[in-house]
Amino acid sequence: MGLYVETRIRTEMDTLWERTQDPAHHQRWDLRFSEIDHLPRRPGEPQRFRYAVRVLPFLTVSGTGVSAGESGGADGRRVSVLRFASPHPLSLLAEGSGYWRYVPTPDGIRFLTGYDYRPRWGRFGAVADRWVFRPLMGWATAWSFDRLRLWCEHGVSPARSLAYGVAEPVVRLLAVAGALGPAALLGMPTVVTLALAALAALLFLVPPLPHTPAARRCLRTPPGRPAVPTHAASTATPPAPALLATLERP
């Protein structure tokens, strides 16, 4: 699995399971999807689903997938696995697979994912994925996990946390402009301008407010493994659950 993200959520297992397995809840907090819908199935069959991502206001890329979940013993662990694919020619992601693990601990639930996919578009797609799309997917996964945590722990709805996530950078940017703009217009001494620039830069180093989602709060490599670049993380990700091998491609 090429990407790994982990967070710890202080909530009940059933609450976390419902908000990650129910498509109506899942699409609310996961930045990677605009729509998720379960497809009809017969008893005993894995759950098939359709997903869509709105890339631009007038462009939506869709795909299909299959998923399954199970509980794992007396300690209350659970796992969910999936395979997915998109035939859309504008989708860089051709097909992939992944898992979610739910591990109870004394101070919450370790909620973690590992997933990987095969890009299309040949050489260009491989380069674009390595340097742009894969890091972006890793960031979006981590940001979404923290958004889910805020919902479960503090009752901050996904819509409200998205508003915080948009508003806070805008306010910081306006504060920077407010600090540097007058200095430039009034011709203040260079030392004053540099001091204001340093203070402005610090605004972007200060951690986000507690109810603003932040990817930095999540682990991006498994505990105990050396940190590696996101695009090379496949060597650091634990093996997928055995349940994944039972799923056929969508």
Side-chain angles (χ1 to χ4, degrees), residues 218-250:
C218 296
L219 292 176
R220 303 289 292 276
T221 56
R225 305 287 183 90
V228 294
T230 302
H231 61 262
S234 59
T235 58
T237 308
L243 179 64
L244 184 59
T246 67
L247 288 183
E248 61 183 30
R249 282 184 170 83

Side-chain angles (χ1 to χ4, degrees), residues 34-101:
S34 304
E35 299 175 23
I36 307 173
D37 296 298
H38 279 172
L39 300 176
R41 65 167 176 169
R42 295 172 181 160
E45 289 184 340
Q47 178 63 64
R48 296 186 179 275
F49 62 91
R50 176 191 173 275
Y51 67 89
V53 181
R54 186 170 294 106
V55 181
L56 296 170
F58 53 85
L59 176 61
T60 298
V61 174
S62 62
T64 58
V66 57
S67 65
E70 65 179 8
S71 301
D75 61 356
R77 295 186 180 213
R78 299 185 188 183
V79 65
S80 174
V81 297
L82 78 158
R83 295 188 184 277
F84 51 91
S86 174
H88 199 292
L90 295 182
S91 172
L92 174 62
L93 186 155
E95 63 177 0
S97 61
Y99 65 85
W100 284 344
R101 292 187 188 274

Side-chain angles (χ1 to χ4, degrees), residues 143 147 156-171 211-213:
W143 190 92
R147 189 184 187 190
V156 180
S157 70
R160 188 149 52 102
S161 62
L162 176 61
Y164 293 157
V166 172
E168 187 171 332
V170 170
V171 170
H211 286 172
T212 299

